[in-house]
Amino acid sequence: MKITFHGAAGEVTGSCTLIESATATFLIDCGMFQGGGEAYAKNLRALAFDVRRLDFVILTHAHIDHSGLLPRLAMLGYRGPIYTTPASIDLVEVLLLDSAHIQEKEAEWQLRRRHRKGSPARVAQPPLYTVTQAQACLTQVRPAEYDETFSPATGVRCRLRDAGHILGSAIVEVWLEEAGRTRKLVFSGDLGQPGRPVLNDPKLIDDADVLFVESTYGNRLHRRLDETEDEIVDLFQRTLHQRHGNVIIPAFAVGRTQEMLFVLADLVRRGRLAPLTVHVDSPMASKATQITLRHEELLDGPTLDLLDWQRAHPERMRVEFVADAEESIRLNEVRSGAVILSASGMCDAGRIKHHLRYNLPRAECAVLITGFQAAGTLGRRLVDGARLVRLFGEPTPVRAEICTIGGLSAHADQAALLGWLGGFKRPPGRTFIMHGEAETAALFATVVRQQLAWEQVEVPALLQSFVL
């Protein structure tokens, strides 16, 4: 068996692991590299293998850093099935079409900008794929229910388990038969934080011969949820009632937006916040919220109870989904009291950039950062304390308060990761630490060796291969 890491090795994006066994060749995830000026070139260089040899692909969840190059995979000649959960199928359709649309618009904007400056049109970056190509790729997606075993190829059995990260996210168990021997591979995908709002906790797995585990927050502990709630209440009080400004919340359209709506509604229900109107200014987030409500069987008990309360008291927690661009533009005219949830979560694309353009220069406003910000992104520069950023090619001063909260992460922290690993009844024969920035992954590997006494723990490099 040969394993090659085509992404999420020494970084947190571009998840793509190639497995070549005696009976099958397949991918776990096919994600896009995100953040920084090199991302486009890395995405062009990705998938540097004969994709026509693949028997199948399994998608752990819908986030673009795990799904975003699926249309490009199909463009390059892959015609086989892509297996994922039904909820992920619903979400990945929204995310991939949005990704393609953004790329097309970005390419058009670059062409217009270069034309105005007299630069040759040929230097503009074409989209990695188009909306039409994304739609074609979606015809290859097949549903796989949680906890049900299926056989995507000869000598291969698979099962998806709830990862508790976002709606439909999955841990993947794979049993491979080679030379009369069966070996079990387990891919954590992205693991959720236990006790987090909206979703159930990640399922524990008993055993694995080869384990692939994420390490996004393998170097730290998240704040407790009650501490995070205190920070949110204090920020809203300072911004809305003392300074009379706006609160701008960059949020991933899938997962984080729904969690923020839960937390804010719960704080209103408990009287810790005054009645709120929250503007969700992201067509994708609106669709993702509708999809979430269609899959109530995947939500935890407290979330279902809160939904019942909100439906009974719509005047206390109003959620307004911004439908069109004109309505979004009108929000930028609001000088005080607005709470705007908008994508993208790392501030690099979408409508959030317009809201930042109008609110960052205003000292009475606040930007609430609620999730991981990859190196090279605008969100990361804000978190790191930049006092001047560029938006739409123009310098924009940062005078608004930048507040980062850690208790709502969709990723397990170090303690939760160790807790999940502790569910294995014996150490895996080999463990690969991935989906973490290089220093974080290395540190977490050391922690696993020391605290769990696991010996075969490795941190792969990009494009590194291992033969087992």
Side-chain angles (χ1 to χ4, degrees), residues 301-336:
T303 301
L304 295 174
D305 292 341
L306 186 62
L307 281 173
D308 289 339
W309 173 85
Q310 198 275 333
R311 288 161 178 159
H313 303 87
E315 76 287 351
R316 293 184 61 187
M317 174 66 182
R318 295 178 56 204
V319 180
E320 295 188 354
F321 294 99
V322 180
D324 53 40
E326 288 76 14
E327 190 178 352
S328 176
I329 291 170
R330 283 196 293 272
L331 283 177
N332 293 320
E333 299 172 1
V334 180
R335 305 295 294 174
S336 174

Side-chain angles (χ1 to χ4, degrees), residues 187-318:
F187 302 83
S188 74
D190 287 355
L191 296 170
Q193 179 78 355
R196 192 169 53 91
V198 182
L199 300 176
N200 295 304
D201 292 350
K203 290 282 188 182
L204 295 179
I205 307 299
D206 289 341
D207 65 305
D209 296 304
V210 185
L211 172 63
F212 305 78
V213 62
E214 69 123 318
S215 59
T216 311
Y217 286 114
N219 64 341
R220 70 190 78 175
L221 302 177
H222 297 323
R223 291 191 183 106
R224 298 199 316 265
L225 184 58
D226 60 341
E227 294 175 337
T228 296
E229 290 176 344
D230 290 343
E231 289 180 301
I232 292 172
V233 170
D234 289 345
L235 180 73
F236 272 57
Q237 178 65 27
R238 286 196 305 274
T239 307
L240 299 181
H241 305 296
Q242 295 175 12
R243 298 195 300 250
H244 304 290
N246 299 325
V247 176
I248 309 301
I249 310 175
F252 302 110
V254 178
R256 187 53 42 80
T257 292
Q258 293 75 41
E259 287 172 341
M260 278 304 303
L261 291 174
F262 171 94
V263 170
L264 294 176
D266 192 43
L267 290 171
V268 171
R269 177 175 62 171
R270 288 188 280 140
R272 299 203 62 195
L273 286 178
L276 283 177
T277 296
V278 179
H279 304 277
V280 178
D281 189 15
S282 163
M284 183 176 16
S286 300
K287 293 175 183 176
T289 304
Q290 294 168 5
I291 291 169
T292 300
L293 296 176
R294 290 206 303 265
H295 290 274
E296 289 192 10
E297 74 281 359
L298 301 180
L299 308 183
D300 63 13
T303 301
L304 295 174
D305 292 341
L306 186 62
L307 281 173
D308 289 339
W309 173 85
Q310 198 275 333
R311 288 161 178 159
H313 303 87
E315 76 287 351
R316 293 184 61 187
M317 174 66 182
R318 295 178 56 204

Side-chain angles (χ1 to χ4, degrees), residues 101-427:
H101 175 74
I102 288 173
Q103 290 179 61
E104 288 184 347
K105 292 301 180 184
E106 180 69 17
E108 291 174 8
W109 179 79
Q110 286 185 20
L111 283 171
R112 289 197 302 270
R113 187 164 181 259
R114 284 176 168 84
H115 179 71
R116 287 197 303 270
K117 293 186 174 183
S119 300
R122 58 182 173 81
V123 299
Q125 295 178 348
L128 295 166
Y129 49 84
T130 66
V131 170
T132 299
Q133 289 164 332
Q135 289 171 330
C137 162
L138 291 169
T139 65
Q140 297 171 238
V141 181
R142 305 286 183 269
E145 297 284 353
Y146 280 140
D147 305 324
E148 293 185 4
T149 302
F150 62 100
S151 179
T154 302
V156 184
R157 290 181 294 120
C158 301
R159 181 169 61 181
L160 306 185
R161 315 297 298 279
D162 193 343
H165 171 62
I166 64 168
L167 192 77
S169 59
I171 300 159
V172 182
E173 297 176 291
V174 180
W175 290 266
L176 288 177
E177 295 178 12
E178 284 189 304
R181 176 187 177 190
T182 299
R183 280 192 285 196
K184 182 182 179 184
L185 284 61
V186 173
F187 302 83
S188 74
D190 287 355
L191 296 170
Q193 179 78 355
R196 192 169 53 91
V198 182
L199 300 176
N200 295 304
D201 292 350
K203 290 282 188 182
L204 295 179
I205 307 299
D206 289 341
D207 65 305
D209 296 304
V210 185
L211 172 63
F212 305 78
V213 62
E214 69 123 318
S215 59
T216 311
Y217 286 114
N219 64 341
R220 70 190 78 175
L221 302 177
H222 297 323
R223 291 191 183 106
R224 298 199 316 265
L225 184 58
D226 60 341
E227 294 175 337
T228 296
E229 290 176 344
D230 290 343
E231 289 180 301
I232 292 172
V233 170
D234 289 345
L235 180 73
F236 272 57
Q237 178 65 27
R238 286 196 305 274
T239 307
L240 299 181
H241 305 296
Q242 295 175 12
R243 298 195 300 250
H244 304 290
N246 299 325
V247 176
I248 309 301
I249 310 175
F252 302 110
V254 178
R256 187 53 42 80
T257 292
Q258 293 75 41
E259 287 172 341
M260 278 304 303
L261 291 174
F262 171 94
V263 170
L264 294 176
D266 192 43
L267 290 171
V268 171
R269 177 175 62 171
R270 288 188 280 140
R272 299 203 62 195
L273 286 178
L276 283 177
T277 296
V278 179
H279 304 277
V280 178
D281 189 15
S282 163
M284 183 176 16
S286 300
K287 293 175 183 176
T289 304
Q290 294 168 5
I291 291 169
T292 300
L293 296 176
R294 290 206 303 265
H295 290 274
E296 289 192 10
E297 74 281 359
L298 301 180
L299 308 183
D300 63 13
T303 301
L304 295 174
D305 292 341
L306 186 62
L307 281 173
D308 289 339
W309 173 85
Q310 198 275 333
R311 288 161 178 159
H313 303 87
E315 76 287 351
R316 293 184 61 187
M317 174 66 182
R318 295 178 56 204
V319 180
E320 295 188 354
F321 294 99
V322 180
D324 53 40
E326 288 76 14
E327 190 178 352
S328 176
I329 291 170
R330 283 196 293 272
L331 283 177
N332 293 320
E333 299 172 1
V334 180
R335 305 295 294 174
S336 174
V339 178
I340 302 172
L341 263 167
S342 187
S344 69
M346 296 187 193
C347 308
D348 266 357
R351 294 181 179 180
I352 188 63
K353 294 176 70 176
H354 295 274
H355 299 304
L356 292 174
R357 180 184 183 185
Y358 282 89
N359 289 276
L360 278 177
R362 302 177 55 213
E364 65 271 28
C365 295
V367 178
L368 181 60
I369 303 290
T370 65
F372 182 81
Q373 305 297 310
T377 62
L378 173 58
R380 181 65 163 264
R381 291 194 292 277
L382 292 175
V383 168
D384 288 344
R387 304 314 303 165
L388 187 72
V389 296
R390 296 190 74 84
L391 286 164
F392 306 103
E394 301 296 331
T396 302
V398 180
R399 301 188 185 99
E401 178 181 359
I402 309 298
C403 179
T404 303
I405 59 173
L408 289 181
S409 175
H411 288 270
D413 64 7
Q414 185 186 93
L417 288 169
L418 290 172
W420 186 78
L421 294 176
F424 287 84
K425 294 180 178 178
R426 58 179 175 82

